[in-house]
Amino acid sequence: SRCRGLVATQPIEARDAARRPVIVVPESLEINGARARRDLERALPPEARTLDGLDDAALCVLWLSRERGLLLLAQEDENTPSGDRFWGPYVRSLPVETSCAWALDDSTFERTLREQVLANADVTTTYEEVAPAFRAETARARRHVEAVSRGLSGDYGTFLPGVTPESVAWALGVVSSRAMGGDAANARLVPLLDLVNHDAARAPFTSFDVVEYNAVERMRRNDDPDDEVDEAARRVDGDDWTLWSWDSGHRHPVPLGPGDELCANYLVSTTGGAAAFTALDWWINCGFVPPEVPLRPPIGDEGSYY
């Protein structure tokens, strides 16, 4: 399935939403370049090609490709090790098909792009205007994915069972569509938060480590039920990942009822500034365009897509 999302299972009153986040993911559960490199270096023999030169995104892609590949091999042969069992539930929870535009078949591509045009806030943009650029960039992205998939599997597949062009392409799609960090040099996967959908009216993902101890300890020390968490805790200034049920300006907490979806504002980067992504960036990496993002570049800046 291409669908994802998290919903509240019980009422969350505004008072509770103001006091603490609705989701906390400790930094220890973040899959980043350093963690991926450490695991891969333990698995690679001395004669394998060095991992030097791979950015965090590529390291996460190779790590995820290996983990999924081992899980699939273990299903076929009970004598095959199934990778790091700690991460197995997360890897198994990921979709079989990625949502990236380059992974869509032609009919799904055209239908989905038309839907994005209709949903966009700029009602003057037409499908006929933007479709050529979107098709061209998607074709270029497919060539890039094929080259990366062949390259990583060719360099490391001999030494890492389960790493194939197919598993690398799948992992590249997961990292492209779900990673936090803003760019390839800082990419990291954050389980659970990567299920949260976009809503520009909601608060962005933030951190919670503001008083020299982690999120769990912070909440445990908040013994007074009337003592709201410091305002600083809703800003980006720590290691542990959180999602608060607040509006986008952090002015008011947003109460939730059973079945209400938890959403985050994707248009604010994880460093606190505006996410500097064009419509094509969103389309290629995620398979959708936030309706607030113009589908076409400013006049005279058409080349910025390429």
Side-chain angles (χ1 to χ4, degrees):
S1 171
R2 300 185 188 278
C3 299
R4 62 183 182 185
L6 292 176
V7 298
T9 59
Q10 59 187 19
I12 300 176
E13 304 296 336
R15 179 180 174 183
D16 295 324
R19 185 179 302 123
R20 57 179 59 182
V22 291
I23 300 177
V24 176
V25 181
E27 187 274 338
S28 60
L29 294 180
E30 173 187 292
I31 302 164
N32 52 38
R35 180 164 289 126
R37 173 184 285 272
R38 184 175 63 248
D39 290 353
L40 291 167
E41 286 178 340
R42 285 198 293 257
L44 287 169
E47 65 269 23
R49 180 170 181 168
T50 177
L51 297 171
D52 294 344
L54 297 184
D55 57 29
D56 283 9
L59 289 167
C60 288
V61 166
L62 187 57
W63 177 89
L64 186 59
S65 174
R66 173 177 180 261
E67 288 298 319
R68 183 179 190 244
L70 287 176
L71 286 174
L72 294 176
L73 289 174
Q75 293 175 5
E76 300 172 0
D77 183 358
E78 60 183 15
N79 295 319
T80 300
S82 58
D84 189 335
R85 293 183 180 179
F86 180 82
W87 297 106
Y90 171 67
V91 176
R92 283 191 289 269
S93 75
L94 296 170
V96 175
E97 298 179 359
T98 64
S99 61
C100 305
W102 50 261
L104 304 178
D105 60 55
D106 290 343
S107 62
T108 304
F109 176 97
E110 297 295 340
R111 183 183 71 252
T112 305
L113 181 55
R114 288 182 182 277
E115 292 171 352
Q116 299 304 303
V117 173
L118 291 174
N120 197 263
D122 180 7
V123 297
T124 65
T125 301
T126 67
Y127 171 82
E128 288 73 20
E129 286 180 289
V130 300
F134 277 69
R135 291 193 194 104
E137 188 68 8
T138 302
R140 190 175 77 166
R142 285 172 178 157
R143 293 192 294 271
H144 173 73
V145 169
E146 291 173 0
V148 170
S149 300
R150 289 196 304 268
L152 284 178
S153 61
D155 288 340
Y156 301 102
T158 302
F159 309 103
L160 299 174
V163 172
T164 65
E166 293 74 21
S167 69
V168 172
W170 172 84
L172 183 58
V174 170
V175 172
S176 296
S177 61
R178 292 172 176 253
M180 308 285 190
D183 56 40
N186 299 287
R188 68 280 315 274
L189 294 168
V190 183
L192 195 61
L193 285 191
D194 62 9
L195 293 171
V196 175
N197 285 313
H198 166 69
D199 185 342
R202 298 296 182 86
F205 302 114
T206 61
S207 64
F208 196 64
D209 186 9
V210 296
V211 285
E212 298 181 353
Y213 42 80
N214 65 30
V216 175
E217 292 168 340
R218 177 73 175 110
M219 287 193 290
R220 285 175 178 168
R221 297 185 185 210
N222 186 22
D223 294 328
D224 184 350
D226 294 321
D227 178 23
E228 293 186 358
V229 173
D230 296 338
E231 174 66 23
R234 292 192 292 275
R235 298 200 300 267
V236 179
D237 50 14
D239 297 325
D240 295 318
W241 293 89
T242 68
L243 178 64
W244 294 77
S245 186
W246 281 67
D247 66 6
S248 60
H250 293 300
R251 295 179 297 270
H252 307 289
V254 178
L256 298 170
D260 287 346
E261 186 173 9
L262 282 64
C263 294
N265 185 353
Y266 287 8
L267 302 182
V268 177
S269 76
T270 52
T271 58
F277 297 140
T278 67
L280 276 175
D281 292 328
W282 287 107
W283 174 249
I284 295 299
N285 291 311
C286 300
F288 87 104
V289 180
E292 303 81 12
V293 176
L295 286 171
R296 54 186 174 186
I299 295 175
D301 193 31
E302 290 81 357
S304 64
Y305 280 164
Y306 305 96

